[in-house]
Amino acid sequence: MGSRFEVVEQGPPIEVFQLMKLFSEDTYQNKVNLSVGAYRDENGKPWVLPVVRKMEKQMAEDNTLLHEYLPVLGLEQFSNASVAMLIGPDNPAIADGRAFGIQTLSGTGSLRVGAEFLNKHLKYTTFYYSSPTWENHHLVFVNSGFTSPRTYRYWDPKTCAIDFDGLIEDLRSAPENSVILLHACAHNPTGIDPTQEQWEKIADVMEERKLFPFFDSAYQGFASGDLDRDAWAVRYFLKRGFELVCAQSYAKNFGLYNERVGNLAIVVKDAKLAPAVKSQLTWVVRGMYSNPPAHGARVVANVLADRQLFDEWRGHIRLMSTRVMQMREALRAELVKLGTPGSWDHIVKQIGLFSYTGLNQRQVEYLIQEYHIYLLSSGRINICGLNQSNVQYVANAIHDAVTKFPAEDDNRAKL
Ligand code: PMP
């Protein structure tokens, strides 16, 4: 008898991790990594936030911190602070006991627990995600038991903006109780968010069609540099009376990528419902990973609880978001200076870590092969992979790619 495992077929690679590997193996001196969604400083290096270092040093000296299990739903102090940061500490839902949170394994774990809970206990089976969206949304929801994945239109390649009529039309035809996955801010990968007027219309349709909002907040504070501005859409939905859930991640805004620090925030209509919801979430988590890790959640909770450290952290997110915006300006300015065919205004109109450049697959392949510039085949680039020393190199390469392979069937680069 051969091996039982012979039935296992090779799975496809995950593009972003494959690119990271290729990048690390590439010996070319001027290689540039614009693929993975992680912050890099002006020297192209990962950045541990000074406030995180400070807190970790403090915690290392604290002999009262043990490695005992956390409760299944994690650190309550952390979840309370996360919910307050998301919906505003003065939001009446907090005082009413209608808003609460549970600690999760970063944003992904939060989406996963939230989706499984909605599927198991509210019997929801249809979910809608934007076209395009973060590549993991589909898999997370399908693995959670959602059997009907659908898309709503979002990005219009002709205008490099939201196809808002298409979006509204798709939501209008969604069946009642569909879960609508919405990016709270800094839409990944397009970097384009709805305007406040557009959010109002989205809420109108969702109310009318009885759709359920599942927000994904992976970039609060990182997008605009302002925690409140980046939470506007979630708070607006609450003001309108929606019940909702929201997956919060501290990977980007605290730079705690590998610590897996996240929170699932839940707001219900009546505080009486909270204990049953929490009890069932407990069983979802119990059957998945039993309880979450403590280190990152302690760091975040301690920083959020201390006025001075909190302000220091807000300084860090302002610094990161400002650097990203400066690099957007720098890339656009270089392309304009070179006279690269097309308009590149969308690069500065987009927000957050990413730009959906409009480069097509052929152009992307050329950038990787000829210039050792690594980016996703969709044309998405991580803006903070750029810095003063490489932005000219990248702009020249894009210019070469766009002129060598003009986009005939794809208008994006021409606009
Ligand atoms: N949602 C979106 C839109 C994201 O971009 C990301 C990170 N790339 C996540 C969720 C989850 O990230 P993590 O699990 O690292 O918090």
Side-chain angles (χ1 to χ4, degrees):
M1 186 181 144
S3 169
R4 296 171 189 278
F5 293 94
E6 275 167 8
V7 293
V8 181
E9 285 172 23
Q10 180 71 35
I14 300 170
E15 187 185 17
V16 72
F17 291 110
Q18 194 186 27
L19 284 170
M20 275 166 70
K21 184 165 180 287
L22 289 174
F23 176 80
S24 69
E25 289 165 1
D26 188 336
T27 54
Y28 187 67
Q29 207 189 349
N30 294 329
K31 64 183 179 177
V32 182
N33 188 358
L34 304 180
S35 62
V36 68
Y39 183 77
R40 296 289 176 260
D41 68 11
E42 59 282 0
N43 301 311
K45 295 277 181 286
W47 192 47
V48 177
L49 273 52
V51 78
V52 168
R53 277 273 191 250
K54 196 190 281 185
M55 182 47 63
E56 285 182 321
K57 278 194 188 130
Q58 213 173 301
M59 283 164 51
E61 299 297 318
D62 185 348
N63 291 325
T64 67
L65 291 181
L66 306 174
H67 292 296
E68 296 298 294
Y69 288 122
L70 289 188
V72 176
L73 300 186
L75 275 185
E76 213 171 321
Q77 182 203 354
F78 163 82
S79 280
N80 290 343
S82 300
V83 172
M85 187 180 99
L86 180 70
I87 72 176
D90 302 326
N91 196 305
I94 293 180
D96 294 351
R98 294 187 297 108
F100 54 94
I102 67 162
Q103 188 193 329
T104 53
L105 304 185
S106 212
T108 308
S110 184
L111 290 161
R112 181 68 177 77
V113 169
E116 185 167 318
F117 171 80
L118 292 174
N119 175 256
K120 257 205 170 86
H121 296 284
L122 281 72
K123 311 289 177 209
Y124 294 164
T125 53
T126 303
F127 74 106
Y128 278 72
Y129 56 98
S130 60
S131 172
T133 192
W134 178 47
E135 54 114 32
N136 208 12
H137 279 151
H138 180 271
L139 182 63
V140 167
F141 271 69
V142 167
N143 282 0
S144 306
F146 277 75
T147 45
S148 299
R150 299 193 187 169
T151 56
Y152 59 85
R153 275 168 278 177
Y154 197 80
W155 169 261
D156 181 353
K158 291 198 201 71
T159 56
C160 285
I162 298 181
D163 175 1
F164 195 66
D165 291 341
L167 180 157
I168 291 294
E169 203 176 299
D170 291 338
L171 293 188
R172 248 200 203 113
S173 60
E176 199 174 307
N177 294 334
S178 297
V179 174
I180 313 296
L181 197 42
L182 299 162
H183 297 230
C185 66
H187 183 273
N188 177 7
T190 68
I192 302 274
D193 290 335
T195 62
Q196 294 193 357
E197 292 73 35
Q198 288 175 330
W199 276 120
E200 288 165 17
K201 292 208 178 83
I202 292 170
D204 287 344
V205 178
M206 288 186 56
E207 195 175 71
E208 191 185 305
R209 299 290 314 146
K210 299 192 173 62
L211 309 175
F212 183 79
F214 195 141
F215 279 96
D216 182 357
S217 179
Y219 300 92
Q220 190 181 352
F222 195 98
S224 70
D226 180 333
L227 288 166
D228 298 319
R229 197 182 314 166
D230 289 350
W232 187 89
V234 174
R235 295 178 191 183
Y236 173 74
F237 269 64
L238 289 178
K239 234 188 282 166
R240 290 277 300 255
F242 280 89
E243 297 184 301
L244 57 81
V245 298
C246 178
Q248 297 174 262
S249 167
Y250 288 100
K252 324 278 163 161
N253 56 11
F254 258 87
L256 285 167
Y257 307 93
N258 67 5
E259 294 295 342
R260 313 312 287 146
V261 198
N263 185 64
L264 177 68
I266 297 142
V267 186
V268 295
K269 281 223 167 96
D270 189 332
K272 278 207 306 277
L273 307 167
V277 173
K278 276 192 187 173
S279 72
Q280 294 299 352
L281 283 165
T282 304
W283 284 107
V284 171
V285 171
R286 178 68 174 155
M288 208 184 293
Y289 53 87
S290 201
N291 47 63
H295 179 76
R298 281 177 179 152
V299 170
V300 171
N302 291 341
V303 170
L304 296 184
D306 181 304
R307 193 71 238 173
Q308 214 175 333
L309 297 176
F310 181 62
D311 285 344
E312 205 176 314
W313 173 58
R314 287 199 305 176
H316 298 338
I317 50 183
R318 269 197 302 276
L319 185 144
M320 290 190 285
S321 62
T322 304
R323 198 183 96 67
V324 171
M325 287 177 212
Q326 284 166 349
M327 291 328 298
R328 288 183 181 282
E329 294 286 351
L331 178 61
R332 177 172 158 274
E334 290 294 338
L335 290 167
V336 169
K337 202 162 75 189
L338 290 166
T340 308
S343 155
W344 300 94
D345 289 349
H346 56 280
I347 293 177
V348 291
K349 285 190 195 139
Q350 294 164 346
I351 190 169
L353 207 51
F354 303 114
S355 177
Y356 216 44
T357 55
L359 296 168
N360 62 31
Q361 208 165 334
R362 186 67 197 89
Q363 294 161 343
V364 169
E365 279 163 16
Y366 184 70
L367 288 173
I368 296 175
Q369 278 153 18
E370 284 296 311
Y371 288 94
H372 308 258
I373 297 172
Y374 292 82
L375 67 160
L376 298 193
S377 59
S378 65
R380 187 196 85 170
I381 61 172
N382 172 7
I383 289 287
C384 61
L386 298 171
N387 53 53
Q388 292 303 345
S389 342
N390 68 18
V391 66
Q392 230 173 1
Y393 174 74
V394 171
N396 278 323
I398 291 177
H399 180 83
D400 184 21
V402 169
T403 32
K404 193 158 265 147
F405 303 102
E408 285 146 22
D409 53 341
D410 182 333
N411 277 323
R412 280 178 287 176
K414 290 194 210 138
L415 288 158

